[in-house]
Amino acid sequence: SQTIHQWPATLVQPVGSPLSLECTVEGTSNPNLYWYRQAAGRGLQLLFYSVGIGQISSEVPQNLSASRPQDRQFILSSKKLLLSDSGFYLCAWSVRTWTGGSTDTQYFGPGTRLTVL
Amino acid sequence: AQTVTQSQPEMSVQEAETVTLSCTYDTSENNYYLFWYKQPPSRQMILVIRQEAYKQQNATENRFSVNFQKAAKSFSLKISDSQLGDTAMYFCAFMKLYNNAGNMLTFGGGTRLMVKP
């Protein structure tokens, strides 16, 4: 079965410090990968998605970036964190099976709670 | 762009009773998927149920069922025989399908459901 891991689970960082959050998926190959952010008491906002190694699409302009160095690894980074970067970051994966209406359900990792002070 | 609206920020229900959560969406697309995700206090996003827009039959998963009204762009979730473990935030989500790109989810703002003993 497929599993998705995120680390760290919790992170407290000062303003201006760098950031690196990691997401890995096991049990599948060539997944679509996604990074979402959830502000306190709010819904999820898509930040980045990737359909393959080295292929990153950004949905929201900001000081965050993403990379996909390996097929099942997705990294969210920042060179200098802002207070507004605080939130809950969720990674998700899906299988692209676009054949006559097949679904592309996304499955989420456990998340990383980031607090920027 | 698609938008998803959940008009009920908070709801409560007595254990063993039935509750319905509302969701409306706005899109010009004809081919898409709709989802309900549950986020318990652990903040793990868990898929509850999904509906393909081309299917007229409403999806069901055990105690969970939907009322999908495509013309009205409405997608409500009914939880029967509510259990204490159903206490969570519930998010409605829309997915437009692309052939050659990541299939992105657009989330509503969420409904906080409290099941009372």
PDB file of all heavy atoms in Angstrom, chain A residues 8 11 14-15 20 22 38 49 53 64 69-70 78 83 103 112:
ATOM      1  N   PRO A   8       9.761  17.959   9.161  1.00  0.00           N
ATOM      2  CA  PRO A   8       9.383  17.550  10.512  1.00  0.00           C
ATOM      3  C   PRO A   8       7.879  17.694  10.737  1.00  0.00           C
ATOM      4  O   PRO A   8       7.192  18.292   9.922  1.00  0.00           O
ATOM      5  CB  PRO A   8      10.157  18.546  11.378  1.00  0.00           C
ATOM      6  CG  PRO A   8      10.247  19.765  10.531  1.00  0.00           C
ATOM      7  CD  PRO A   8      10.391  19.271   9.114  1.00  0.00           C
ATOM      8  N   LEU A  11       7.674  22.659  13.586  1.00  0.00           N
ATOM      9  CA  LEU A  11       8.881  23.469  13.393  1.00  0.00           C
ATOM     10  C   LEU A  11       8.613  24.891  13.863  1.00  0.00           C
ATOM     11  O   LEU A  11       7.591  25.472  13.505  1.00  0.00           O
ATOM     12  CB  LEU A  11       9.267  23.458  11.909  1.00  0.00           C
ATOM     13  CG  LEU A  11      10.615  24.053  11.511  1.00  0.00           C
ATOM     14  CD1 LEU A  11      11.752  23.299  12.181  1.00  0.00           C
ATOM     15  CD2 LEU A  11      10.766  24.004   9.990  1.00  0.00           C
ATOM     16  N   PRO A  14      12.735  31.378  13.435  1.00  0.00           N
ATOM     17  CA  PRO A  14      12.700  32.850  13.511  1.00  0.00           C
ATOM     18  C   PRO A  14      12.510  33.465  12.130  1.00  0.00           C
ATOM     19  O   PRO A  14      12.847  32.856  11.093  1.00  0.00           O
ATOM     20  CB  PRO A  14      14.091  33.195  14.072  1.00  0.00           C
ATOM     21  CG  PRO A  14      14.959  32.055  13.687  1.00  0.00           C
ATOM     22  CD  PRO A  14      14.092  30.832  13.677  1.00  0.00           C
ATOM     23  N   VAL A  15      11.964  34.660  12.137  1.00  0.00           N
ATOM     24  CA  VAL A  15      11.823  35.410  10.885  1.00  0.00           C
ATOM     25  C   VAL A  15      13.194  35.573  10.226  1.00  0.00           C
ATOM     26  O   VAL A  15      14.190  35.841  10.897  1.00  0.00           O
ATOM     27  CB  VAL A  15      11.201  36.797  11.159  1.00  0.00           C
ATOM     28  CG1 VAL A  15      11.277  37.667   9.917  1.00  0.00           C
ATOM     29  CG2 VAL A  15       9.751  36.660  11.598  1.00  0.00           C
ATOM     30  N   SER A  20      13.157  24.219   5.096  1.00  0.00           N
ATOM     31  CA  SER A  20      13.134  23.060   4.225  1.00  0.00           C
ATOM     32  C   SER A  20      12.191  22.026   4.818  1.00  0.00           C
ATOM     33  O   SER A  20      12.443  21.502   5.895  1.00  0.00           O
ATOM     34  CB  SER A  20      14.532  22.457   4.059  1.00  0.00           C
ATOM     35  OG  SER A  20      14.488  21.332   3.201  1.00  0.00           O
ATOM     36  N   GLU A  22      10.140  18.407   3.956  1.00  0.00           N
ATOM     37  CA  GLU A  22      10.288  17.289   3.039  1.00  0.00           C
ATOM     38  C   GLU A  22       9.056  16.393   3.040  1.00  0.00           C
ATOM     39  O   GLU A  22       8.423  16.186   4.075  1.00  0.00           O
ATOM     40  CB  GLU A  22      11.522  16.464   3.409  1.00  0.00           C
ATOM     41  CG  GLU A  22      11.886  15.401   2.391  1.00  0.00           C
ATOM     42  CD  GLU A  22      13.271  14.820   2.613  1.00  0.00           C
ATOM     43  OE1 GLU A  22      14.077  15.455   3.322  1.00  0.00           O
ATOM     44  OE2 GLU A  22      13.534  13.734   2.085  1.00  0.00           O
ATOM     45  N   GLN A  38      -2.402  25.616   4.991  1.00  0.00           N
ATOM     46  CA  GLN A  38      -3.664  25.876   5.679  1.00  0.00           C
ATOM     47  C   GLN A  38      -3.393  26.867   6.806  1.00  0.00           C
ATOM     48  O   GLN A  38      -2.708  26.551   7.777  1.00  0.00           O
ATOM     49  CB  GLN A  38      -4.248  24.580   6.241  1.00  0.00           C
ATOM     50  CG  GLN A  38      -5.597  24.755   6.888  1.00  0.00           C
ATOM     51  CD  GLN A  38      -6.157  23.447   7.416  1.00  0.00           C
ATOM     52  OE1 GLN A  38      -5.415  22.545   7.788  1.00  0.00           O
ATOM     53  NE2 GLN A  38      -7.477  23.325   7.452  1.00  0.00           N
ATOM     54  N   TYR A  49       2.552  22.288  -7.417  1.00  0.00           N
ATOM     55  CA  TYR A  49       2.331  20.911  -7.784  1.00  0.00           C
ATOM     56  C   TYR A  49       3.393  20.491  -8.779  1.00  0.00           C
ATOM     57  O   TYR A  49       4.010  21.324  -9.450  1.00  0.00           O
ATOM     58  CB  TYR A  49       0.917  20.673  -8.323  1.00  0.00           C
ATOM     59  CG  TYR A  49       0.615  21.266  -9.674  1.00  0.00           C
ATOM     60  CD1 TYR A  49       0.820  20.536 -10.843  1.00  0.00           C
ATOM     61  CD2 TYR A  49       0.081  22.557  -9.780  1.00  0.00           C
ATOM     62  CE1 TYR A  49       0.527  21.072 -12.079  1.00  0.00           C
ATOM     63  CE2 TYR A  49      -0.215  23.093 -11.018  1.00  0.00           C
ATOM     64  CZ  TYR A  49      -0.002  22.352 -12.157  1.00  0.00           C
ATOM     65  OH  TYR A  49      -0.292  22.884 -13.384  1.00  0.00           O
ATOM     66  N   ILE A  53       9.765  14.633 -12.123  1.00  0.00           N
ATOM     67  CA  ILE A  53      11.032  15.110 -11.591  1.00  0.00           C
ATOM     68  C   ILE A  53      11.413  16.425 -12.273  1.00  0.00           C
ATOM     69  O   ILE A  53      11.413  16.528 -13.498  1.00  0.00           O
ATOM     70  CB  ILE A  53      12.151  14.066 -11.794  1.00  0.00           C
ATOM     71  CG1 ILE A  53      11.833  12.805 -10.995  1.00  0.00           C
ATOM     72  CG2 ILE A  53      13.504  14.636 -11.377  1.00  0.00           C
ATOM     73  CD1 ILE A  53      12.816  11.671 -11.252  1.00  0.00           C
ATOM     74  N   LEU A  64       8.224  31.335  -1.185  1.00  0.00           N
ATOM     75  CA  LEU A  64       8.467  29.908  -1.069  1.00  0.00           C
ATOM     76  C   LEU A  64       8.823  29.330  -2.436  1.00  0.00           C
ATOM     77  O   LEU A  64       8.433  29.875  -3.474  1.00  0.00           O
ATOM     78  CB  LEU A  64       7.227  29.197  -0.527  1.00  0.00           C
ATOM     79  CG  LEU A  64       6.761  29.606   0.865  1.00  0.00           C
ATOM     80  CD1 LEU A  64       5.425  28.937   1.175  1.00  0.00           C
ATOM     81  CD2 LEU A  64       7.796  29.244   1.911  1.00  0.00           C
ATOM     82  N   PRO A  69      13.598  16.579  -6.497  1.00  0.00           N
ATOM     83  CA  PRO A  69      14.853  15.994  -6.941  1.00  0.00           C
ATOM     84  C   PRO A  69      14.763  14.513  -7.306  1.00  0.00           C
ATOM     85  O   PRO A  69      15.578  14.032  -8.090  1.00  0.00           O
ATOM     86  CB  PRO A  69      15.767  16.195  -5.724  1.00  0.00           C
ATOM     87  CG  PRO A  69      14.833  16.262  -4.564  1.00  0.00           C
ATOM     88  CD  PRO A  69      13.585  16.910  -5.069  1.00  0.00           C
ATOM     89  N   GLN A  70      13.784  13.832  -6.748  1.00  0.00           N
ATOM     90  CA  GLN A  70      13.562  12.422  -7.048  1.00  0.00           C
ATOM     91  C   GLN A  70      12.082  12.183  -7.311  1.00  0.00           C
ATOM     92  O   GLN A  70      11.244  13.015  -6.961  1.00  0.00           O
ATOM     93  CB  GLN A  70      14.032  11.541  -5.887  1.00  0.00           C
ATOM     94  CG  GLN A  70      15.500  11.692  -5.530  1.00  0.00           C
ATOM     95  CD  GLN A  70      15.900  10.786  -4.379  1.00  0.00           C
ATOM     96  OE1 GLN A  70      15.437   9.659  -4.285  1.00  0.00           O
ATOM     97  NE2 GLN A  70      16.773  11.289  -3.516  1.00  0.00           N
ATOM     98  N   SER A  78      12.360  27.846   1.623  1.00  0.00           N
ATOM     99  CA  SER A  78      12.374  29.295   1.629  1.00  0.00           C
ATOM    100  C   SER A  78      13.769  29.755   2.044  1.00  0.00           C
ATOM    101  O   SER A  78      14.399  29.138   2.898  1.00  0.00           O
ATOM    102  CB  SER A  78      11.332  29.854   2.592  1.00  0.00           C
ATOM    103  OG  SER A  78      11.442  31.270   2.677  1.00  0.00           O
ATOM    104  N   LEU A  83       6.698  36.214   8.791  1.00  0.00           N
ATOM    105  CA  LEU A  83       5.672  35.866   9.783  1.00  0.00           C
ATOM    106  C   LEU A  83       4.458  35.233   9.109  1.00  0.00           C
ATOM    107  O   LEU A  83       3.843  34.308   9.643  1.00  0.00           O
ATOM    108  CB  LEU A  83       5.241  37.107  10.561  1.00  0.00           C
ATOM    109  CG  LEU A  83       6.239  37.673  11.567  1.00  0.00           C
ATOM    110  CD1 LEU A  83       5.716  38.987  12.145  1.00  0.00           C
ATOM    111  CD2 LEU A  83       6.517  36.675  12.688  1.00  0.00           C
ATOM    112  N   THR A 103     -10.582   8.503 -11.750  1.00  0.00           N
ATOM    113  CA  THR A 103     -10.404   9.538 -10.759  1.00  0.00           C
ATOM    114  C   THR A 103      -8.938   9.878 -10.536  1.00  0.00           C
ATOM    115  O   THR A 103      -8.060   9.136 -10.942  1.00  0.00           O
ATOM    116  CB  THR A 103     -11.023   9.100  -9.424  1.00  0.00           C
ATOM    117  OG1 THR A 103     -11.004  10.194  -8.527  1.00  0.00           O
ATOM    118  CG2 THR A 103     -10.237   7.949  -8.830  1.00  0.00           C
ATOM    119  N   THR A 112       2.912  19.401   8.435  1.00  0.00           N
ATOM    120  CA  THR A 112       3.936  20.043   9.262  1.00  0.00           C
ATOM    121  C   THR A 112       3.378  21.360   9.771  1.00  0.00           C
ATOM    122  O   THR A 112       2.931  22.196   8.990  1.00  0.00           O
ATOM    123  CB  THR A 112       5.218  20.335   8.441  1.00  0.00           C
ATOM    124  OG1 THR A 112       5.810  19.111   8.041  1.00  0.00           O
ATOM    125  CG2 THR A 112       6.213  21.141   9.269  1.00  0.00           C
TER     126      THR A 112
END
